[in-house]
Amino acid sequence: MEETYIQSKLNELKASFEGDIYTDDTMRLLYSTDASAYREMPLAVVRPKHKEDIKLLIFFAKEHKTALIPRTAGTSLAGQVVGNGIIVDVSKYMCKILEFNEAEHWIRVEPGVVLDELNKIAEIKGLFFAPETSTSNRCMVGGMVGNNSCGAHSLIYGSTRDHTLAVKALLSDGSEVEFKALSKEEYQEKLNLKTLEGNLYRQINEILTDKENQKEIIEQYPDKSLERRNTGYAIDILMDSEVFTSPPPLLKGEEPKFNFSNLLAGSEGTLAFSTEITLNLVPLPPKEKALVCIHCHTLMDALKGNIIALKYKPVAIELMDDIIMNCTKDNIEQRKNRFFIDGEPGAMLIVEFAMDNKEDILKAARDMETEMCSLGYGYNFPVLFGDDIKKVWNLRKAGLGLLSNIPGDAKPVPVTEDTAVNPNVLPEYITEFKAILDKYNLSCVYYAHIATGELHLRPVLNLKDPKDVELFHTVALETAHLVKKYKGSLSGEHGDGRLRGEFIPLMLGDKIYELFKQIKNTWDPDHIFNPNKIVDTPPMNSFLRFEPGKVTPEIETIFDFGNDKGILRAAERCNGSGDCRKSEIIGGIMCPSFMATRNENSTTRARANILREFLTNSNKKNPFDHKEIYEVFDLCLSCKGCKSECPSSVDVAKLKAEFLQHYYDANGIPLRTRAIAYISSINAIGSIVPSITNFFMSNSFTSLIAKSILGFAQKRSIPLLSKVTLRKWYDSNNVSKAYPNGKVYLFADEFTNYNESEIGIKAIRLLNKLGYEVIIPKHFVSGRTFLSKGLLRTAKKIAIQNTILLKDIITIETPLIGIEPSAILAFRDEYPYLVGKELKSTALKLAENALLLDEFLSKEIDKRKISKDSFTKDTKAIKLHGHCQQKSIASTAPTKKVLSFPENYSVTEIPSGCCGMAGSFGYEKEHYDLSMKVGELVLFPAIRNTDQETIIAALGTSCRCQIKDGTDRDAIHPAEILFDALIK
């Protein structure tokens, strides 16, 4: 990229700017999109550390006539944080909780504080910030204020605006202000200020004291009964304050005070730059909660049933249609949350009650069911309590991401997804809306906040097709007219941005739109704050993520991406929803590199975006041959967390492996990569004389040389070889005899075979003792090292060989059992998509019967083939760290079950994600520090705080090495624990 004049000046600013400044193409590409359909390359990306940095940026923007685009998590759905100016990302540094006043129920925060993290602190004191969006585990307060976010419980709690007490901000001249509730006297004092702040008060006073303007606002703004009204600037809310309204005598003292925070909420960063926000907290809801999941035959039944349900005073009602529910079937994580769905409902109403006692909830649920059944609405009404509530809400919250699982280029798009009308007219509104769609032969997804009349309506369009791009605009325009007819709001919570700004004159009238422009020009005369949002927006079907009419290239791959119709569309699954930005405080696996760095370029989203950008636009014969892709993928640990936790099921580990193979085709395979991939061949030679090999690998002088040559971290200890390989021990000790519980095949993976044969030996002895014959069949290595290092052609050969060797002997009666999760799970995860079309069905059948040892034992316990009498009655406490691929592809539930099977054994799972070692990742010198940071997030502190008598259990070989290096504690494989628990 040729550096522009402004970019060169920005780089000069680094001397006085304490945060980070990036002008390179990679960072600009990663910030060119959000969770919307829009894309535009920014001039630069900056991450300020504090308000003084932001002041510098304001003066810079004014001097160089450029713009500042504030950004937090980048989950905006209307293109609010897309633009050609300087992206100001406050999510990394400006994320402190500044003050918490428990007595007065408020909290003061910087704009980068994550909602769920805030509430984890507040709930300790019995409080919470009530508006909770579906993105609550990564969305940030600054973005919530900018968009005036709501959430599922807006029926009783309203929007972010309703709970924003004060905002400290920087104005366009760099001056600092605080906006808060003002008495009439304080308001008058503001009018006398000879500053930009004074100008703001004088202008709004002039606008809202004008009787014609007041009349226009009353006539044009949406129905006041709507909880969700987010179109344009909220001058209607300001007009309701005591300064402009004369309330009846009985209401004296209750009228709202004037507060410019009400205007900033929903202003999308177009008026000022917020640096501190004071929020109102409310008491936690009653502890007795329940969901009634009403199964409806049709969408219309759900729309009419909603009106009935509202009579019973629920705290929330959400809608999911059949398309959303069907999408959950193909997502690993959300499949677990479908337990309550009976049959194939056309739509589902999720009705939440919160009351002081369970009996009252059950009565309300019964009465509601009786009335709805009498009217023919609903056929099943399960009532769910406890942990099941969270599972259902997780299913509902995954809605946006799940929609990307629909194969092909036509996707449900955010064009009419934020309309809100009075719930009582929702059936009629949707009938007319469907007529619009029928006119253009379009289908649609319906879900979200039905209680408050807001449904996320997403017509299915192909925004790569120029005809559908025109339809994108046509449907938006006709819907706007329909919303206006019903006195609704075109935006309920997602804001105007670029998507709806064009239609504000239609929704509110030209006169009010002109007032908005006047307000923008007074607050921000040089338009440095997020221009072209709300006012002066470009056409809503311009600057789209995909270039209309551009052919999607068909790229040959080694993995089978047929389900996605190619690797590019697999990357395009990422819609930018940012689920990969949750922290270790929230929990889960995805994404360990982001958790440790808090950098956008270390997210799953960034990796999908960078791959999409270059595969779409590369002019090279090998479109993977770009160092920019390599650099963004470099910190991916291939933990597989994204495969299960990303609602769109973006499998970045798979994408990374495919990318690396093609990148190496163009640039050669590094020595270290070859050494790691072929480690089993190296170990096979070393195992001829393991004592000599181990001497050289453990000797400080010789190991230093080896590590230096291979690029391994000096602080790492290299795994040593076992005295005898597992296969050799098996060949010497295998005695043919009858076993009462049948026969199993053990996969002697390359790690257990060479490095930890003692675990394999104990696993065999455990199974024998429990009545199972164990056979190690002929097979090759798992191929895991080749997969993780991107040598896919070799991995493909191995997968084919193992599938052919094992296909005729592995059945449900004689399963293949594995000790190392990363090895055995290759059969379930990668093999079916490597072996080719001819063997795919065979590989899938083999995958069904490829089990972790823990899974097998759990099944056998259920069949009552294993008795507690086989195990000691001694008391043991165990802390378990689950392998990240196990948690993603399988589950830790069987492990906890079998480890707690001995009568007095108790198991607690450490709430850790990836350990940080991730195969060879943590051994590599440039990744060592990050690897240890990942370990320090949760795992290491949890182990250090565990007493010495407690057993630390870990299934993965790399996990055990990481735990040893990071805590000096020995972690034990469950096979060893259970073998040692046998009554000898």
Side-chain angles (χ1 to χ4, degrees), residues 547-660:
E547 182 182 334
K550 186 165 187 172
V551 177
T552 302
E554 300 298 326
I555 300 167
E556 188 175 337
T557 58
I558 296 145
F559 267 125
D560 174 11
F561 288 94
N563 291 344
D564 293 303
K565 300 186 179 181
I567 187 172
L568 178 51
R569 291 184 178 90
E572 289 172 354
R573 272 179 178 257
C574 176
N575 59 19
S577 62
D579 297 71
C580 45
R581 285 184 58 98
K582 59 186 173 62
S583 72
E584 76 284 356
I585 298 169
I586 304 303
I589 315 168
M590 179 181 71
C591 172
S593 56
F594 173 77
M595 290 179 181
T597 66
R598 303 297 174 97
N599 293 335
E600 173 66 27
N601 58 330
S602 296
T603 62
T604 301
R605 174 169 71 180
R607 291 161 191 139
N609 279 342
I610 200 72
L611 190 63
R612 170 181 53 78
E613 286 283 351
F614 279 97
L615 293 188
T616 300
N617 300 308
S618 176
N619 294 319
K620 292 188 176 183
K621 184 177 181 182
N622 179 348
F624 297 93
D625 182 20
H626 292 276
K627 191 176 182 182
E628 294 91 339
I629 309 177
Y630 184 91
E631 289 170 345
V632 175
F633 271 94
D634 183 53
L635 295 187
C636 170
L637 283 77
S638 298
C639 68
K640 286 287 182 177
C642 48
K643 182 175 175 118
S644 62
E645 292 186 5
C646 171
S648 304
S649 303
V650 179
D651 187 349
V652 166
K654 182 180 180 182
L655 297 175
K656 178 181 180 179
E658 186 73 46
F659 158 72
L660 284 173

Side-chain angles (χ1 to χ4, degrees), residues 45 115 140 190 207 222 303 491 507 513-514 545 608 639 647 809 838 890:
V45 175
L115 174 58
M140 296 173 178
K190 294 290 187 182
I207 289 173
L303 295 172
S491 171
M507 299 305 298
Y513 184 66
E514 186 59 36
R545 182 179 294 212
C639 68
I809 60 173
E838 299 79 9

Side-chain angles (χ1 to χ4, degrees), residues 203-251:
Q203 182 199 42
I204 202 67
N205 192 66
E206 181 181 342
I207 289 173
L208 296 182
T209 53
D210 185 297
K211 296 301 180 184
E212 289 299 317
N213 287 343
Q214 290 185 358
K215 181 182 176 184
E216 190 76 5
I217 289 168
I218 292 169
E219 289 179 355
Q220 296 288 354
Y221 267 78
D223 181 351
K224 278 201 169 189
S225 69
L226 287 179
E227 295 289 343
R228 295 166 176 269
R229 294 180 297 144
N230 227 23
T231 299
Y233 294 131
I235 58 174
D236 59 327
I237 303 295
L238 295 182
M239 192 178 76
D240 288 340
S241 66
E242 65 176 0
V243 174
F244 305 108
T245 305
S246 298
L250 290 177
L251 297 180

Side-chain angles (χ1 to χ4, degrees), residues 290-394:
L291 297 183
V292 185
C293 299
I294 304 173
H295 294 53
C296 300
H297 289 295
T298 67
L299 174 66
M300 191 53 63
D301 285 352
L303 295 172
K304 293 178 178 178
N306 174 60
I307 299 171
I308 304 301
L310 283 168
K311 293 163 57 176
Y312 293 89
K313 299 192 178 345
V315 296
I317 309 176
E318 293 284 294
L319 173 76
M320 291 192 296
D321 73 356
D322 54 344
I323 297 176
I324 287 275
M325 287 184 277
N326 287 334
C327 285
T328 65
K329 295 177 181 178
D330 298 322
N331 181 270
I332 295 172
E333 188 73 12
Q334 297 310 325
R335 270 201 303 264
K336 304 169 189 175
N337 295 331
R338 286 180 50 87
F339 65 95
F340 66 98
I341 299 178
D342 177 22
E344 299 290 336
M348 176 86 67
L349 285 175
I350 304 168
V351 183
E352 180 174 336
F353 291 103
M355 299 180 180
D356 291 329
N357 61 73
K358 191 172 183 179
E359 290 71 25
D360 288 345
I361 290 176
L362 291 172
K363 183 180 185 306
R366 283 193 302 269
D367 292 347
M368 179 179 67
E369 179 179 351
T370 299
E371 183 173 0
M372 291 188 72
C373 287
S374 71
L375 296 168
Y377 307 145
Y379 67 85
N380 190 26
F381 297 76
V383 183
L384 305 176
F385 293 89
D387 292 340
D388 286 343
I389 292 176
K390 184 177 180 181
K391 295 174 185 176
V392 176
W393 281 133
N394 284 343

